Amino acid sequence: MLPFTHDQFIGVFAAYNEAVWPAQVVAYVVAAVALGAIAWQRPWSGALAAWLLASLWIWTGVVYHGMHFSTINAAARLFAAMLVLEAMMLAWWALRRRPELAFGLDLRRGAGLALAIYAAVLYPLLGLAFGLHYPAAPTFGITPCPLTLFTFGLVLLAPTAVPWRVLVVPLLWSLIGGSAAFLMRIPQDWVLLLGGVVVVAANIAAAPHGRRATAHTR
């Protein structure tokens, strides 16, 4: 049993979206710059995308969870800490690993692009189809579920395994948000569970290749 009702949950989105406007537009700009950097393929492209992604996680942790969702759920403060931790892990990944992200026709990166498009475009459209109208709806980039899906999309653009420490919080949120999707009647969040499975499977499959690549560079 959740400590809030469906109406209270949706009410938080309405209050949040009205309070933070035009952050919703900025989130799309940040995501577009990240994808554009990846398409441009410069040595710093993957790191820039990871830094930009980190900025969305820290915003969502502090502002959405810490300042808004906490009004109906005491656990939101723990969630805020989790999301800030994920921002730190993405910043570490950008600074220390300098990830190489690229679009491609292989299954892994095709799935990544599909999840990114789902998070940014199909997710809000499905929300409208299911009766969730702005501002009383989760918005791309600044609420945790679509942000998690977009993050899954970007990490799958890496040709080799991503450090598990970068994936722990998004995977946990895929379970939290995916299960809450059934209880809170947010059908577009069901994809979180599938996305988590895809990321785990892809990371395990890529790990041997990643170790070989590391060995050849030594």
Side-chain angles (χ1 to χ4, degrees):
M1 178 68 69
L2 294 173
F4 49 85
T5 66
H6 173 81
D7 289 343
Q8 288 176 313
F9 185 57
I10 297 303
V12 168
F13 287 124
Y16 171 65
N17 282 318
E18 290 173 348
V20 302
W21 173 263
Q24 299 85 345
V25 177
V26 174
Y28 272 102
V29 172
V30 168
V33 172
L35 293 173
I38 293 169
W40 198 14
Q41 280 298 284
R42 292 295 185 269
W44 41 263
S45 293
L48 175 59
W51 278 110
L52 291 171
L53 194 57
S55 71
L56 296 177
W57 278 88
I58 198 165
W59 170 280
T60 305
V62 173
V63 183
Y64 172 74
H65 275 306
M67 298 173 62
H68 289 269
F69 192 42
S70 60
T71 60
I72 64 169
N73 188 3
R77 293 181 176 84
L78 172 61
F79 297 154
M82 287 171 53
L83 270 63
V84 171
L85 176 62
E86 173 61 13
M88 295 170 62
M89 291 300 98
L90 287 164
W92 167 84
W93 190 40
L95 185 64
R96 299 297 300 273
R97 295 298 182 91
R98 297 180 181 272
E100 296 180 6
L101 307 180
F103 299 115
L105 299 177
D106 57 280
L107 185 60
R108 176 190 175 96
R109 287 182 286 189
L113 182 59
L115 281 171
I117 292 172
Y118 178 85
V121 180
L122 296 180
Y123 186 99
L125 292 178
L126 284 173
L128 287 172
F130 294 131
L132 293 176
H133 299 280
Y134 183 88
T139 40
F140 171 74
I142 58 170
T143 56
C145 291
L147 177 56
T148 297
L149 287 164
F150 187 69
T151 301
F152 284 162
L154 259 61
V155 298
L156 286 171
L157 297 179
T160 58
V162 175
W164 286 107
R165 69 184 70 181
V166 176
L167 300 176
V168 168
V169 171
L171 289 172
L172 283 174
W173 195 261
S174 74
L175 297 175
I176 295 169
S179 60
F182 294 91
L183 298 172
M184 290 291 103
R185 305 191 298 279
I186 313 288
Q188 65 268 37
D189 283 344
W190 295 347
V191 179
L192 281 166
L193 298 171
L194 175 61
V197 171
V198 170
V199 167
V200 169
N203 216 49
I204 291 172
H209 173 69
R211 286 194 293 269
R212 288 197 299 269
T214 302
H216 287 317
T217 58
R218 287 178 179 174

